[in-house]
Amino acid sequence: MGKEVARFNKILHVRAVERELTQNELAGRLQEEGAILERINALEEDRDSALADFCAGRGEPVSPQQMWLERQNIDVMESGLCDGRHALEECRFKIEETRAELVEKHQNVQLMERFVDRLKERAHKEMIDLEQKNLDDITSMRYRLNMQKEAKP
């Protein structure tokens, strides 16, 4: 019974390590989400600033080429924002997948912990029963010896 408990303890340990790895993976994905959000916010600020400059009335005449270049710059910023939002969406999807995986692994660990606890209880009960049986055998042997001594005058 002790070997069985040890074997399932090893399985429990492996599952706990897998859960910890998934927790670390989730933490990394959450940090990645934060970095993407910061990048998106910075791009939005740059774009808003460029749009404000583009739309601002200027006292001096601006060449069409200059306007075209500024507009191209804004389009590039919009494209970067679109890419960032797409990356954020993918990251959040991966976060949800990882969370679901973590919940499943956590449930597996809890299930294995309960099973190992029951195995330990059963092994402990078997050990106590064996000790009681041995004590009963010793008691009956002593009783027989005492009865034989009393029977002999």
Side-chain angles (χ1 to χ4, degrees):
M1 189 61 145
K3 289 180 182 179
E4 188 175 358
V5 171
R7 186 173 74 232
F8 281 104
N9 261 334
K10 287 179 186 178
I11 293 171
L12 173 63
H13 176 71
V14 167
R15 288 189 180 178
V17 168
E18 287 176 347
R19 178 182 62 183
E20 187 177 318
L21 290 173
T22 304
Q23 286 173 333
N24 292 337
E25 181 182 349
L26 179 61
R29 291 192 191 281
L30 289 171
Q31 286 178 344
E32 180 184 351
E33 179 189 32
I36 291 171
L37 282 171
E38 286 179 19
R39 190 172 72 232
I40 287 174
N41 289 337
L43 286 172
E44 284 177 342
E45 288 176 12
D46 290 346
R47 182 210 48 202
D48 292 344
S49 175
L51 272 173
D53 290 345
F54 184 76
C55 295
R58 299 180 184 161
E60 60 199 51
V62 178
S63 72
Q65 183 180 10
Q66 179 65 28
M67 287 186 80
W68 184 79
L69 287 173
E70 288 179 13
R71 182 64 196 153
Q72 289 297 328
N73 186 32
I74 292 171
D75 287 344
V76 168
M77 288 180 189
E78 286 289 341
S79 175
L81 272 172
C82 184
D83 292 344
R85 288 183 183 122
H86 182 68
L88 180 63
E89 187 179 310
E90 285 181 22
C91 183
R92 286 182 173 163
F93 180 75
K94 289 177 184 176
I95 286 171
E96 289 307 313
E97 282 182 336
T98 307
R99 279 188 176 143
E101 184 181 345
L102 180 60
V103 166
E104 181 182 330
K105 288 185 179 186
H106 183 66
Q107 289 172 344
N108 285 340
V109 167
Q110 286 180 329
L111 181 69
M112 187 57 67
E113 283 175 342
R114 286 192 298 268
F115 182 72
V116 168
D117 286 344
R118 278 188 257 132
L119 280 178
K120 287 178 181 178
E121 287 174 14
R122 192 174 352 144
H124 182 71
K125 185 181 180 313
E126 285 178 8
M127 183 184 70
I128 288 176
D129 289 346
L130 182 63
E131 285 180 22
Q132 186 62 47
K133 182 182 175 282
N134 288 337
L135 288 173
D136 290 346
D137 287 347
I138 291 170
T139 303
S140 64
M141 281 188 237
R142 283 188 173 171
Y143 178 76
R144 249 187 275 140
L145 283 174
N146 285 338
M147 292 305 278
Q148 288 175 357
K149 286 181 185 176
E150 289 178 9
K152 290 182 182 179

